[in-house]
């Protein structure tokens, strides 16, 4: 599919290489959270998140690729999950969510694509829906040779992620390696 975005990885999923539990624990998800999975793909992390936020929480799973959202919808139905809202939307544009409503937003394996296609300055819509004091967690492939993941020249380092977060008034709270291939950087929103 060719769209206005140059690098989307439609239909890709990190399911077999990044454990949803691991990334969500590192992101420090809590029971009752309103959680945004931005660029959710097939939504395997959203499914794990739905159990962690519980019945008082809510998961908003957004992807631009309708086929991925269809896969997620089927999984939600099969598991009889009630607290995930799957949405087809472009996360670089105005989101179909209330302003200041999200406690924790995650972008897993998405940001390097935005950097590569020059869309990194379009994250203000995610900032808009996060609560003041909310957390933006970015999970990315480590910038080291590995058999899985995007080509090394388009991977981004934790420092680059931190610099992007700072541009959007996030304070970097922590950054560490998770699993075999990934790291996570968490930013706290001062707005
Ligand atoms: C490499 S996949 C990662 C999927 C999932 N986060 C995971 O880790 O399994 C990147 C995802 O970002 C989505 N994506 C790319 N650009 C997007 C945009 N502008 N708005 C919403 N989703 C986008 C793609 O459709 C794709 O599903």
């Amino acid at each position: 599919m060719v769209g206005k975005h140059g690098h989307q990885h439609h239909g890709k999923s990190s399911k077999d290489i990044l454990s949803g539990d691991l990334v969500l624990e590192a992101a420090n998800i809590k029971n009752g959270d309103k959680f945004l999975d931005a660029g959710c793909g097939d939504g395997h992390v959203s499914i794990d998140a739905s159990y962690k936020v519980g019945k008082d929480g809510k998961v908003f799973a957004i992807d631009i690729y309708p086929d991925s959202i269809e896969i997620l919808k089927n999984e939600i139905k099969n598991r009889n999950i009630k607290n995930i809202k799957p949405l087809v939307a472009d996360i670089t544009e105005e989101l179909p969510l209330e302003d200041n409503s999200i406690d924790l937003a995650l972008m897993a394996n998405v940001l390097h694509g935005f950097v590569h296609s020059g869309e990194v300055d379009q994250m203000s819509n995610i900032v808009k829906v996060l609560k003041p004091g909310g957390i933006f967690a970015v999970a990315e492939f480590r910038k080291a040779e590995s058999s899985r993941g995007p080509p090394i020249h388009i991977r981004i380092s934790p420092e680059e992620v931190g610099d992007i977060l700072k541009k959007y008034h996030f304070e970097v709270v922590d950054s560490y390696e998770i699993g075999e291939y990934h790291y996570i950087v968490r930013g706290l929103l001062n707005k």
Side-chain angles (χ1 to χ4, degrees):
M1 180 174 164
V2 179
K4 74 168 176 136
H5 305 284
H7 179 98
Q8 288 182 7
H9 284 315
H10 286 325
K12 286 218 174 170
S13 169
S14 64
K15 198 174 188 165
D16 58 337
I17 43 174
L18 179 61
S19 136
D21 273 347
L22 210 59
V23 73
L24 291 165
E25 270 160 36
N28 198 22
I29 196 166
K30 297 190 185 77
N31 189 271
D33 271 357
K34 306 283 180 290
F35 171 72
L36 167 62
D37 189 358
C40 64
D42 65 6
H44 73 100
V45 177
S46 288
I47 298 276
D48 289 343
S50 79
Y51 299 108
K52 293 188 185 289
V53 300
K55 63 173 173 30
D56 297 330
K58 183 102 188 166
V59 174
F60 299 92
I62 297 187
D63 204 281
I64 198 169
Y65 188 46
D67 289 3
S68 290
I69 294 299
E70 269 317 301
I71 294 171
L72 175 58
K73 281 184 177 168
N74 284 332
E75 194 64 20
I76 289 170
K77 209 170 142 200
N78 292 341
R79 293 179 184 236
N80 197 24
I81 290 173
K82 305 285 184 209
N83 64 351
I84 302 183
K85 196 170 172 67
L87 295 160
V88 177
D90 183 339
I91 54 177
T92 67
E93 293 188 347
E94 183 137 11
L95 296 175
L97 303 175
E98 265 178 52
D99 289 358
N100 305 319
S101 64
I102 300 293
D103 298 288
L104 172 65
L106 170 74
M107 269 175 69
N109 304 306
V110 179
L111 188 60
H112 69 272
F114 287 174
V115 171
H116 188 59
S117 59
E119 287 168 305
V120 71
D121 285 331
Q122 298 177 32
M123 290 208 301
S124 47
N125 294 298
I126 292 183
V127 174
K128 223 171 136 194
V129 300
L130 265 173
K131 291 178 183 171
I135 295 283
F136 192 6
V138 177
E140 276 294 331
F141 278 89
R142 286 176 218 155
K143 221 174 161 157
E145 287 298 345
S146 59
S147 54
R148 305 291 303 270
I152 197 152
H153 73 276
I154 67 166
R155 297 188 192 192
I156 50 177
S157 66
E159 292 72 28
E160 285 171 272
V161 173
D163 287 346
I164 292 165
L165 288 174
K166 284 176 205 156
K167 267 200 217 163
Y168 287 88
H169 308 292
F170 289 94
E171 179 194 326
V172 174
V173 285
D174 46 32
S175 163
Y176 42 92
E177 296 190 344
I178 49 169
E180 202 179 336
Y181 301 104
H182 287 84
Y183 66 84
I184 191 166
V185 180
R186 295 191 323 136
L188 179 130
L189 183 57
N190 290 315
K191 76 171 175 185

